[in-house]
């Protein structure tokens, strides 16, 4: 098995050689060795080391591609046991012992493909889409929920679930959450005319909290720069089902409230938010989940649950918002049970401009 590079001219431009090391390649990674034999990768049995040319005109174009290929071939635990290092071109591996003993984990060299996420974050290709929220007492505009959208280089829209999934995989949730918060505040400051009376609702992933003071400081600075008073900013807590430390979240939210911000509990009544979370978090606003509102069209049980939630909210002095108002009947129903605020396609879809 030899691809015999040695003299400098044999190395094509852009090509590099990766060394993969692990214990007992021959016995523990037979399929890898068999593949190496087919494509002509050089195997050094004495060192348990495989030389893999990457880039240039090689079929394996990049380290990412190679690692993704291996992921298809090997299970996770065997992937984890692979170590790797780049080799110096044109020099025999036996003379590169110091590189080899310092080889690190292969998968650490090539994290999962994060899709366009990194590019989106680095170039701040994120946008705010505004969905209006109306009050039922006088029909006036109450505020806007800020919804995140990403853009690829080609201008394609990326939905937030996709961004969040990538960010989670890459451990970039903090960065995404912080950046989107700042983006929303900046855009709201630019596009909304009445910042002293319009509420700005921003979704908040509890899993992204690491240092609340730090997060609060960057939010505060962005709000100030945008000219939005803290009292007009509402953090919508989402995905509460994932919270493992409710006490910690509660202390963080209390801290925000002491600094003048408001807190809403999103999606109440869905699988993502249970009633006990309402007790734990003591929000200022509750949002009745779209599924409850829409099931109430045909189910008196759901209608009664919505009604009870409004009653409960009012007993505790909270504002109650009905989500997913799509039809005139939904609207009439939400008003009949005494909801304070309405949001839904009937009243306005998410839009890059805050339209009334
Ligand atoms: O649960 P949350 O408040 O984050 O809901 C916001 C999401 O719900 C947005 O993605 C928005 O597009 C969507 N949404 C808002 N209003 C409606 C509606 O009337 N019908 C449906 N199906 N989705 C809606
Ligand atoms: Mn929301």
């Amino acid at each position: 098995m030899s691809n015999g590079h040695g003299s400098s001219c044999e190395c094509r431009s852009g090509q590099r050689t990766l060394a993969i090391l692990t214990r007992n390649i021959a016995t523990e990674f037979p399929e890898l060795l068999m593949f190496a034999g087919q494509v002509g990768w050089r195997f050094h049995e004495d060192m348990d080391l495989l030389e893999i040319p990457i880039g240039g005109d090689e079929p394996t174009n990049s380290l990412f591609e190679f690692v993704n290929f291996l992921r298809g071939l090997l299970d996770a635990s065997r992937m984890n046991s692979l170590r790797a290092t780049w080799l110096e071109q044109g020099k025999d591996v036996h003379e590169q012992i110091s590189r080899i003993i310092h080889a690190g984990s292969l998968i650490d060299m090539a994290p999962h493909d994060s899709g366009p996420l990194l590019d989106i974050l680095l170039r701040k290709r994120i946008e705010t889409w505004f969905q209006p929220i109306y009050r039922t007492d006088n029909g006036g505009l109450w505020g806007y929920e800020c919804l995140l959208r990403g853009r690829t280089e080609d201008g394609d829209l990326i939905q937030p679930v996709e961004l969040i999934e990538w960010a989670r995989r890459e451990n970039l949730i903090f960065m995404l959450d912080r950046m989107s918060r700042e983006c929303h505040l900046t855009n709201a400051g630019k596009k909304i005319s009445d910042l002293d009376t319009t509420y700005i609702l921003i979704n908040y992933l509890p899993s992204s909290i690491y240092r609340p003071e730090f997060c609060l400081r960057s939010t505060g600075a962005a709000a100030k720069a945008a000219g939005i008073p803290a009292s007009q900013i509402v953090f919508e807590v989402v995905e509460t089902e994932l919270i493992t430390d409710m006490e910690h979240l509660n202390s963080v939210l209390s801290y925000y409230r002491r600094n003048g911000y408001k807190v809403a509990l999103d999606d109440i009544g869905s699988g993502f938010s249970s009633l006990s979370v309402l007790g734990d978090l003591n929000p200022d606003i509750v949002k009745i989940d779209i599924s409850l509102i829409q099931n109430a069209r045909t189910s008196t049980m759901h209608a009664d649950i919505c009604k009870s939630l409004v009653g409960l909210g009012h007993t505790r002095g909270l504002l109650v918002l009905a989500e997913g108002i799509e039809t005139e009947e939904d609207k009439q129903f939400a008003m009949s049970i005494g909801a304070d605020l309405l949001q839904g396609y009937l009243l306005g879809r998410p839009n890059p401009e805050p339209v009334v």
Side-chain angles (χ1 to χ4, degrees):
M1 222 187 275
S2 168
N3 63 356
H5 61 70
S7 61
S8 55
C9 57
E10 274 183 59
C11 295
R12 297 190 182 99
S13 67
Q15 186 191 303
R16 299 208 282 169
T17 305
L18 187 75
I20 296 282
L21 309 92
T22 184
R23 215 183 278 189
N24 301 328
I25 294 192
T27 52
E28 291 184 21
F29 296 84
E31 66 276 67
L32 183 56
L33 211 57
M34 186 155 46
F35 183 79
Q38 287 162 7
V39 294
W41 292 340
R42 193 181 226 183
F43 175 44
H44 300 272
E45 202 169 1
D46 55 338
M47 303 178 81
D48 264 333
L49 182 153
L50 259 176
E51 277 185 43
I52 295 147
I54 285 176
D57 295 326
E58 288 298 328
T60 311
N61 255 314
S62 68
L63 183 61
F64 284 96
E65 199 180 307
F66 174 64
V67 171
N68 279 336
F69 159 76
L70 282 189
R71 282 198 171 97
L73 200 65
L74 307 173
D75 60 41
S77 75
R78 287 199 300 162
M79 276 301 288
N80 284 329
S81 69
L82 294 178
R83 290 163 62 234
T85 183
W86 291 109
L87 292 175
E88 220 177 305
Q89 299 288 20
K91 196 168 162 189
D92 189 270
V93 289
H94 298 91
E95 294 168 48
Q96 304 191 45
I97 294 298
S98 72
R99 278 172 182 261
I100 287 163
I101 56 179
H102 289 118
S105 145
L106 172 68
I107 48 170
D108 286 351
M109 286 173 78
H112 263 114
D113 178 8
S114 60
L117 178 68
L118 266 183
D119 188 55
I120 284 170
L121 292 180
L122 291 174
R123 289 167 212 281
K124 299 205 167 151
R125 259 205 288 272
I126 54 176
E127 300 171 11
T128 307
W129 286 39
F130 299 91
Q131 187 176 29
I133 294 166
Y134 291 93
R135 40 199 294 173
T136 49
D137 58 356
N138 63 8
L141 179 79
W142 185 76
Y144 291 98
E145 177 171 358
C146 298
L147 297 158
L148 179 69
R149 298 288 186 273
R151 281 266 176 214
T152 65
E153 206 175 347
D154 303 327
D156 295 333
L157 216 51
I158 304 177
Q159 296 298 320
V161 280
E162 212 171 341
L163 291 173
I164 291 168
E165 204 183 298
W166 278 327
R168 233 177 226 133
R169 226 162 43 202
E170 298 299 316
N171 244 326
L172 289 171
I173 254 317
F174 308 140
M175 187 168 161
L176 177 67
D177 197 63
R178 179 179 164 199
M179 204 179 265
S180 55
R181 204 162 39 234
E182 292 175 15
C183 164
H184 293 331
L185 291 170
T186 307
N187 287 330
K190 273 191 225 150
K191 295 184 172 181
I192 295 173
S193 47
D194 223 340
L195 291 167
D196 286 329
T197 52
T198 310
Y199 288 94
I200 312 292
L201 288 80
I202 295 179
N203 288 291
Y204 192 71
L205 289 169
S207 53
S208 72
I209 300 169
Y210 53 136
R211 280 171 48 204
E213 346 54 85
F214 179 64
C215 156
L216 184 70
R217 207 183 316 137
S218 73
T219 305
K224 195 168 176 201
I228 307 170
S231 59
Q232 296 303 117
I233 297 172
V234 183
F235 286 118
E236 272 189 29
V237 185
V238 297
E239 296 198 347
T240 48
E241 87 285 6
L242 299 175
I243 299 166
T244 51
D245 190 347
M246 194 58 78
E247 221 167 293
H248 176 59
L249 175 62
N250 207 354
S251 70
V252 171
L253 294 178
S254 309
Y255 182 59
Y256 286 175
R257 262 201 232 105
R258 283 200 301 279
N259 282 273
Y261 299 90
K262 291 187 171 55
V263 172
L265 185 56
D266 207 358
D267 305 324
I268 192 117
S270 77
F272 298 110
S273 201
S274 72
L275 276 181
S276 90
V277 176
L278 180 59
D280 292 328
L281 296 187
N282 243 316
D284 306 290
I285 297 149
V286 280
K287 297 183 81 172
I288 303 180
D289 188 61
I290 181 169
S291 64
L292 278 182
I293 297 288
Q294 299 191 348
N295 278 321
R297 292 167 185 167
T298 51
S299 149
T300 53
M301 182 64 150
H302 287 87
D304 285 343
I305 294 171
C306 293
K307 201 168 166 180
S308 306
L309 281 174
V310 175
L312 177 63
H314 287 172
T315 304
R316 305 294 313 185
L318 318 179
L319 285 174
V320 182
L321 182 152
E323 292 182 328
I325 304 296
E326 289 183 350
T327 65
E328 192 57 43
E329 290 71 43
D330 293 342
K331 181 179 159 190
Q332 289 314 321
F333 166 70
M335 294 187 60
S336 75
I337 60 170
D340 306 288
L341 303 167
L342 306 177
Q343 178 179 1
Y345 291 169
L346 177 74
L347 309 160
R349 287 182 177 255
N351 193 286
E353 297 305 316
V355 287
V356 182

